[in-house]
Amino acid sequence: MSEKEDLAKQKAEAAAKAKAAALAKKQAKEEAAEKPEGEIDIAKQKAAAAAKAKAAALAKKQAKEEAPEKPEGEIDLAKQKAEAAAKAKAAALAKKQAKAEAAENTESEIDLAKQKAAAAAKAKAAALAKKQAKEEAPEKPEGEIDLAKQKAAAAAKAKAAALAKKQAKEEAAEKPEGEIDIAKQKAAAAAKAKAAAFAKKQAKEETAEKPEGEMDAAKQKAAAAAKAKAAAAAKAKAKAAAAAKNRTAVQESEEADTPSEISPNQSKLDQIVSAIESHVGQGALLENYINRLSKDVPTLVANPDTYFSIAKFLRYDEQLDFSYLSELHGTDFESHMEIYVHLHSFKMNQSVALKVKLDRDTPVIPSLVPLWSGANWPECEAYDLLGINFYEHPDLKRILLGEDWKGYPLRKDYEPYDVEV
């Protein structure tokens, strides 16, 4: 065949291809005008596939026609050229179609198309895996079927994960950071839902394939395992509770068996109490104890009738000699009033507390000013703020509020006479 004939044939083929492409494009536009958006996308995909198939068939036909006329070397070269031209043409056509679709569709439509394509690919992969599993099932024994199902499921999961990852990367390149985060969250939620649905479906399929006896046995095993686990947890809890109870019991036993440490001031308290009972009387003290919350101070609770006699004995006894009054104050306990006196003996190098309880309605007690002059102002203060009357006080008066003040502010039931104050 001459070069002119080859050139004419190539021109005719190029014209036929161009005509076919123009016809396909025209037909696609006409169909797009008549169809809704969803059908337009499908029609475009079909048209592109048809165009590719037609181009491939034409290239194959051309190669067959040229094969008898050319020697083997030229045939191979022509085939390679034809294949390269077909690939280049297909790539150019796909690129052109993508550009055209991108120009016609908005960003939301592109995302929707990608999602539809991804969903279709996932559905196709799932259907293919299911079909393959069904075909392999009759040929394999039960054990191999289960293994094959597990492998297929794992492969499907891996494929779906890879597809989702790829899609996420593509979307990430096109979307800003905020949309990427939302897309990731949606993808993660979709993956979780899909995995849960797949596990549920697999469980149903396995249940349908097993005979009733095996299902009951599996249920019984699961129930027995759950019971055993619950029993073990209860046993461990009971052991922990018993151990805690034993520790508490041992601690209480040790505390009960071990006597509290004797105060270093206990001997001095015994000495003072013995002296008071010998000189004042057996019923002079209502109570005596070591106050561990106040530096182990020996504490004496006096009867109101013997309060002054005990104080006088503590002040003037040669062995005791509590010559210094460091503190005196009153307290309202609502049920009663109380006077607290703190004394110190330099001779014994020891302190002692003297307390007396008074009737709240008529709190009257002898003054200690004749014994310790330092009781003067503290007793006036107790009278001023609590209304405790110290008889035989040399000059009992209000020292903070004034004689015309109504009430006693340190009493628990005090209500101001003048609310504005």
Side-chain angles (χ1 to χ4, degrees):
M1 185 180 291
S2 63
E3 291 181 3
K4 289 183 179 180
E5 291 175 353
D6 290 339
L7 185 60
K9 189 180 282 188
Q10 290 173 4
K11 286 181 178 180
E13 289 171 356
K17 287 180 184 178
K19 190 174 182 180
L23 184 63
K25 190 172 182 180
K26 184 180 179 182
Q27 187 177 359
K29 284 185 179 180
E30 291 173 357
E31 290 176 355
E34 296 172 1
K35 294 179 181 180
E37 188 179 348
E39 294 182 6
I40 291 171
D41 293 338
I42 297 170
K44 283 182 179 179
Q45 293 173 4
K46 287 183 178 179
K52 288 180 184 179
K54 191 170 182 181
L58 187 63
K60 192 173 181 181
K61 183 179 178 183
Q62 183 181 2
K64 284 184 179 179
E65 289 176 354
E66 291 176 357
E69 297 173 359
K70 294 182 180 180
E72 189 174 353
E74 293 181 6
I75 291 169
D76 294 338
L77 185 60
K79 280 183 180 180
Q80 293 173 3
K81 287 182 179 180
E83 288 173 0
K87 286 181 182 178
K89 188 172 183 181
L93 183 64
K95 191 173 182 181
K96 185 178 179 182
Q97 186 178 359
K99 285 184 179 179
E101 290 176 359
E104 292 172 3
N105 294 337
T106 61
E107 187 177 352
S108 59
E109 291 175 354
I110 293 170
D111 292 339
L112 183 62
K114 284 184 179 180
Q115 291 172 4
K116 285 182 179 178
K122 288 179 183 178
K124 190 173 181 182
L128 183 63
K130 192 172 180 182
K131 184 178 178 183
Q132 187 177 0
K134 284 183 179 179
E135 290 174 355
E136 293 175 356
E139 300 172 0
K140 295 180 180 180
E142 188 175 351
E144 293 183 6
I145 290 171
D146 294 337
L147 185 61
K149 280 184 179 179
Q150 293 173 3
K151 288 183 178 179
K157 285 181 182 177
K159 190 171 182 180
L163 184 63
K165 192 173 181 181
K166 184 179 179 183
Q167 186 179 0
K169 284 184 178 179
E170 291 175 354
E171 292 176 356
E174 297 171 2
K175 295 180 180 180
E177 188 175 352
E179 294 181 7
I180 291 171
D181 293 337
I182 296 170
K184 282 182 179 179
Q185 293 173 2
K186 287 182 179 178
K192 286 181 181 177
K194 189 172 181 182
F198 183 72
K200 192 173 181 181
K201 184 179 178 183
Q202 188 176 4
K204 284 184 180 179
E205 290 175 356
E206 290 177 357
T207 303
E209 291 171 3
K210 290 181 179 179
E212 189 175 352
E214 291 183 7
M215 286 172 61
D216 293 338
K219 284 182 180 179
Q220 290 172 2
K221 284 182 180 179
K227 285 181 182 178
K229 191 173 182 181
K235 193 174 180 181
K237 191 175 181 181
K239 281 185 178 180
K245 191 174 181 181
N246 289 337
R247 283 196 299 271
T248 304
V250 169
Q251 187 176 0
E252 289 177 355
S253 176
E254 288 176 353
E255 289 177 356
D257 294 340
T258 305
S260 58
E261 186 180 351
I262 298 174
S263 170
N265 292 332
Q266 184 63 46
S267 60
K268 293 182 180 180
L269 174 62
D270 294 340
Q271 178 188 349
I272 296 168
V273 170
S274 177
I276 291 172
E277 289 178 349
S278 299
H279 292 82
V280 182
Q282 290 291 331
L285 292 174
L286 298 178
E287 188 181 358
N288 64 86
Y289 57 89
I290 296 293
N291 190 346
R292 298 210 177 254
L293 298 178
S294 182
K295 300 181 180 179
D296 284 13
V297 174
T299 303
L300 309 171
V301 182
N303 190 311
D305 297 334
T306 59
Y307 166 69
F308 186 80
S309 298
I310 292 171
K312 186 176 181 180
F313 176 75
L314 294 173
R315 170 70 179 87
Y316 293 114
D317 183 77
E318 293 181 359
Q319 299 297 324
L320 303 179
D321 192 22
F322 286 94
S323 59
Y324 177 61
L325 185 148
S326 61
E327 182 180 354
L328 186 151
H329 66 261
T331 306
D332 180 10
F333 286 93
E334 294 188 276
S335 60
H336 65 278
M337 292 285 185
E338 184 176 280
I339 295 294
Y340 177 93
V341 183
H342 194 88
L343 306 171
H344 185 77
S345 171
F346 294 98
K347 189 173 185 178
M348 294 179 65
N349 192 24
Q350 179 63 45
S351 295
V352 69
L354 176 63
K355 298 168 71 174
V356 62
K357 296 180 180 179
L358 307 176
D359 180 67
R360 191 171 186 273
D361 295 329
T362 56
V364 179
I365 198 74
S367 171
L368 298 183
V369 175
L371 303 176
W372 294 279
S373 59
N376 189 345
W377 284 95
E379 287 182 349
C380 287
E381 183 182 30
Y383 165 74
D384 191 6
L385 301 178
L386 288 165
I388 299 173
N389 191 2
F390 297 89
Y391 66 85
E392 296 185 3
H393 188 286
D395 186 21
L396 189 63
K397 60 183 179 181
R398 305 193 86 152
I399 59 174
L400 298 173
L401 302 176
E403 294 297 335
D404 58 344
W405 189 271
K406 305 293 183 180
Y408 305 100
L410 288 188
R411 287 201 175 206
K412 299 293 178 64
D413 57 355
Y414 172 72
E415 293 182 4
Y417 178 76
D418 187 353
V419 294
E420 294 182 0
V421 177

